[in-house]
Amino acid sequence: MPSGALRYLGETIDWRSNLAKRSIPLLMRRLRQAGFGSEFVSAAILPDWWDQSCVNQPELLPEIEIRVGRFLAVPLSTVSDPETTLEPLGYPEARLRCVRDIGRDRLAPAIHAAMRIAGAVVRNLKEPVPAPARPPSDGLAWRQEIRGFDGSSVLDAIVEDLWTRGIPVVPAHLLPTPGFQGLAAVVEDRPVVVLGHRHDELGRVAFRIAHEIGHIARGDCTPDAPVVDEDEEILEDGEMEELADEYAVRALVGEAAIPVPSPSALGNFRDLATQAAAAARETGVDAGSIIFSWVRTTGDYATATRATKALYLATGATRILRQYFKRFVDVEGASLSDQELMRVIVPGSPPGSDASSR
């Protein structure tokens, strides 16, 4: 092999070709133009020893180009050609739901990143890896199968059930922007839920997960067509979303007949909290789940969040999600590139570190 040549995915590339036109700053600019900002690139693509001084070290360029090519799943010759536009995989069959004034092309970087991160998680599930078992097609039937579903630990119970079924729940809290609330996908023949928000309210996160499981249980997503819910505050987005919401309500609330409060109560967080607490005492259903089953009819998540704060139910979801990720995923045994992708699951700390459980 000639001096200065390297092999990547079957290609033999002389990395010194076009070197006068290539640079790390130019590559970073091309990534930004492709929709991948510096914060995401630093977390998911660049090595952990990277700092700003590395930008002006051209000898590091070949390694960074390889990392970019691997992440984008494109030939190295594409990355090393400074005239070529970098693009994420578009997933043209993705089913975009609840999208407000955002085109498919603008969501493509977040979808590509989420699918790559989900792939890293699936490849590194701890042994024994259970064959994926989809929940029943009816939310109430799923509720009846969940162990420990006693109304006081709803999010904990459903997340444990899903991981135990072989369905990862991935809190990808650092994605390219614009992002999404939730994504239901099939990755390497395994259903996966990816959460793209940073919400911490127990009931809100439980409802979002149950909604995405509704898509999976009903077969709405396929390997080439993930379902992407961009904005949960958008109402009435068609039958698919209505059925996924219905699935979530039946899974979290069950058969309890809990009437929706009056519009005035739904708009007042104190009244909302009071009525949810009363309904929880009467039915045994989790108050946070009740609040977020109600708010789907109004889209007023600000009031719902204030109501959950009044009931001391506004925090704890992130801790639970990370706890199960650490329990079921072998980060230390993963390849370096997979480890780097999974860094976005715990922003600001190395994967597998003690910080991931806090």
Side-chain angles (χ1 to χ4, degrees):
M1 185 174 297
S3 176
L6 52 85
R7 289 186 62 80
Y8 170 77
L9 298 179
E11 294 181 281
T12 301
I13 303 292
D14 184 353
W15 73 267
R16 289 190 171 89
S17 64
N18 292 326
L19 189 57
K21 299 180 181 179
R22 290 154 49 212
S23 69
I24 293 174
L26 175 57
L27 181 57
M28 296 299 106
R29 184 161 63 250
R30 291 167 67 204
L31 283 170
R32 287 195 300 272
Q33 291 170 345
F36 301 101
S38 58
E39 185 179 13
F40 177 81
V41 170
S42 295
I45 301 177
L46 297 178
D48 56 8
W49 44 260
W50 187 268
D51 60 36
Q52 190 56 37
S53 67
C54 298
V55 171
N56 297 315
Q57 297 182 43
E59 67 273 14
L60 299 177
L61 180 59
E63 178 178 348
I64 305 308
E65 289 178 334
I66 288 174
R67 288 169 176 266
V68 171
R70 187 167 52 206
F71 171 73
L72 291 178
V74 299
L76 185 57
S77 55
T78 298
V79 181
S80 62
D81 181 354
E83 305 299 325
T84 301
T85 300
L86 299 178
E87 295 181 342
L89 295 177
Y91 290 94
E93 302 302 318
R95 308 180 76 172
L96 306 185
R97 318 303 301 174
C98 300
V99 177
R100 189 200 310 270
D101 300 329
I102 297 178
R104 179 179 296 270
D105 58 335
R106 292 190 62 204
L107 280 174
I111 296 171
H112 175 88
M115 296 294 282
R116 298 290 287 169
I117 294 160
V121 171
V122 167
R123 286 189 293 274
N124 294 286
L125 295 175
K126 290 181 179 178
E127 299 289 347
V129 179
R134 293 174 185 262
S137 59
D138 180 79
L140 182 60
W142 180 37
R143 176 185 177 88
Q144 293 168 345
E145 291 183 2
I146 298 174
R147 294 184 300 171
F149 209 163
D150 58 7
S152 61
S153 56
V154 173
L155 180 62
D156 204 313
I158 67 171
V159 173
E160 181 172 33
D161 177 83
L162 292 170
W163 279 102
T164 303
R165 288 176 181 272
I167 301 177
V169 179
V170 181
H173 290 168
L174 177 59
L175 289 174
T177 56
F180 54 79
Q181 293 291 316
L183 177 147
V186 178
V187 178
E188 300 186 20
D189 297 323
R190 187 174 294 275
V192 179
V193 172
V194 180
L195 302 176
H197 54 62
R198 301 190 185 188
H199 302 311
D200 204 29
E201 305 99 311
L202 296 165
R204 185 174 193 168
V205 175
F207 195 91
R208 173 50 49 194
I209 293 171
H211 176 102
E212 302 305 332
I213 290 301
H215 288 309
I216 288 172
R218 297 184 63 253
D220 292 338
C221 51
T222 65
D224 295 325
V227 176
V228 184
D229 291 304
E230 190 265 329
D231 188 342
E232 65 188 350
E233 296 185 16
I234 295 177
L235 303 178
E236 302 297 332
D237 196 61
E239 184 181 18
M240 180 189 292
E241 291 306 289
E242 291 178 2
L243 290 173
D245 272 353
E246 178 184 330
Y247 187 97
V249 172
R250 289 174 66 80
L252 299 181
V253 178
E255 295 180 297
I258 304 175
V260 178
S262 66
S264 61
L266 285 172
N268 183 305
F269 82 91
R270 291 187 178 87
D271 288 349
L272 191 61
T274 298
Q275 294 195 38
R281 288 192 297 270
E282 181 177 344
T283 64
V285 175
D286 169 65
S289 297
I290 293 172
I291 288 172
F292 286 100
S293 69
W294 285 342
V295 78
R296 73 188 181 92
T297 66
T298 67
D300 186 358
Y301 283 85
T303 297
T305 295
R306 295 182 72 187
T308 57
K309 287 181 179 178
L311 296 174
Y312 301 99
L313 297 173
T315 61
T318 300
R319 177 188 58 79
I320 290 171
L321 295 172
R322 291 175 178 173
Q323 169 189 327
Y324 282 101
F325 168 77
K326 185 175 182 180
R327 173 177 161 186
F328 284 93
V329 181
D330 180 14
V331 177
E332 293 184 359
S335 67
L336 184 60
S337 59
D338 280 352
Q339 286 186 21
E340 289 161 351
L341 283 168
M342 291 188 285
R343 283 204 302 244
V344 307
I345 294 172
V346 188
S349 60
S353 71
D354 290 342
S356 65
S357 64
R358 292 198 291 268

